[in-house]
Amino acid sequence: MDLLQSLLDSSEVPVVTAFLLGLLTALSPCPLATNITAIGFISKGIENRRRVLWSGLLYTLGRTLAYALLGALLIYILRTGADTFDLQQAVSEWGEIILGPALIVIGVLMLVSEFVSLGGKFGFQGGARAERLSGPLGALLLGILFALAFCPTSGLLYFGMLIPMSATATGGYLLPVVYAVATALPVLIVAWLIAFSIQSLGTFMGRITIFQRWFNRIVALLFVTVGAYYCYTFFIA
């Protein structure tokens, strides 16, 4: 963290600064916790390296879409001379409100995909739908959700440093994209390692089916637990 901070202080290139701000965000306590949760989410498909890699890429895409679209709106507002404070407050507040319940829903869907296979004469495949939401599509939605769940540190780095710099820089609309990729870099690295390293261990992969079954359930319970914690801290505490 100290090394990144010193590099950030000495950087005079906006693209490099945006990348370093993203890394600082990824390693800050609250975003780091969401990235660890995301790593657990994409790692549950460990037996399918293509799925793991796609999940990591789609998670990054989700974060990129959220940060880039929000950044484009904020940059445009700043360049017209208007105030963005109300929009920043609304995004931060709604991100905190949605995060807890959404994590619980995702965790429940993951458990449903493990234990339930609904079907019958009505043709309703609840388990299949839950599985889709707990796979790569879920990773995309998770990236969007986690990006918009600003905590004080990520809010300061994004709203207080990245966006003002982007509003004055040439090509400023691209800087939130660079920032977003950097925030997801830990998840991308783990997805790549799982896809191209663990798959080469043939003896390990012989036991992965049993391990994955339990690991999926643990990750689902982790989502429900973290979601319940966020709900408690925001709505009750």
Side-chain angles (χ1 to χ4, degrees):
M1 291 290 287
D2 292 338
L3 175 60
L4 288 176
Q5 188 62 55
S6 63
L7 291 173
L8 180 63
D9 293 338
S10 61
S11 175
E12 297 181 358
V13 181
V15 173
V16 174
T17 302
F19 185 78
L20 292 174
L21 285 173
L23 287 181
L24 278 175
T25 301
L27 298 177
S28 299
C30 181
L32 180 60
T34 59
N35 273 336
I36 291 173
T37 307
I39 287 170
F41 181 86
I42 68 172
S43 299
K44 69 187 187 65
I46 196 172
E47 87 293 349
N48 187 334
R49 63 179 180 178
R50 181 175 297 178
R51 174 172 173 159
V52 170
L53 188 58
W54 267 111
S55 294
L57 292 172
L58 287 172
Y59 174 79
T60 303
L61 177 61
R63 295 192 74 104
T64 302
L65 288 173
Y67 283 135
L69 293 176
L70 178 60
L73 178 59
L74 293 171
I75 292 168
Y76 174 79
I77 293 174
L78 284 177
R79 287 182 175 179
T80 61
D83 187 6
T84 63
F85 179 76
D86 290 339
L87 179 59
Q88 295 172 24
Q89 287 292 100
V91 170
S92 297
E93 182 177 349
W94 279 102
E96 291 177 348
I97 291 174
I98 294 172
L99 180 60
L103 288 177
I104 293 175
V105 170
I106 293 171
V108 170
L109 287 174
M110 290 166 64
L111 287 174
V112 167
S113 69
E114 283 292 306
F115 292 106
V116 179
S117 180
L118 297 177
K121 60 183 179 181
F122 296 106
F124 175 71
Q125 298 295 328
R129 294 184 181 183
E131 179 62 25
R132 284 196 295 270
L133 286 175
S134 64
L137 175 60
L140 175 67
L141 299 176
L142 202 65
I144 296 172
L145 173 66
F146 283 173
L148 296 178
F150 289 98
C151 65
T153 302
S154 61
L156 173 63
L157 294 173
Y158 183 82
F159 293 114
M161 300 180 69
L162 176 72
I163 296 302
M165 177 184 68
S166 301
T168 59
T170 303
Y173 287 104
L174 294 177
L175 297 185
V177 176
V178 176
Y179 172 88
V181 173
T183 63
L185 197 58
V187 178
L188 274 177
I189 291 173
V190 171
W192 185 86
L193 289 174
I194 291 173
F196 294 103
S197 297
I198 292 180
Q199 280 288 324
S200 65
L201 304 178
T203 57
F204 176 78
M205 290 306 297
R207 305 169 190 163
I208 204 64
T209 302
I210 297 175
F211 167 78
Q212 186 212 2
R213 190 176 300 124
W214 284 102
F215 185 62
N216 289 357
R217 297 167 187 172
I218 292 172
V219 171
L221 291 174
L222 173 65
F223 267 70
V224 174
T225 302
V226 173
Y229 169 77
Y230 275 105
C231 286
Y232 173 78
T233 55
F234 187 81
F235 295 108
I236 300 176

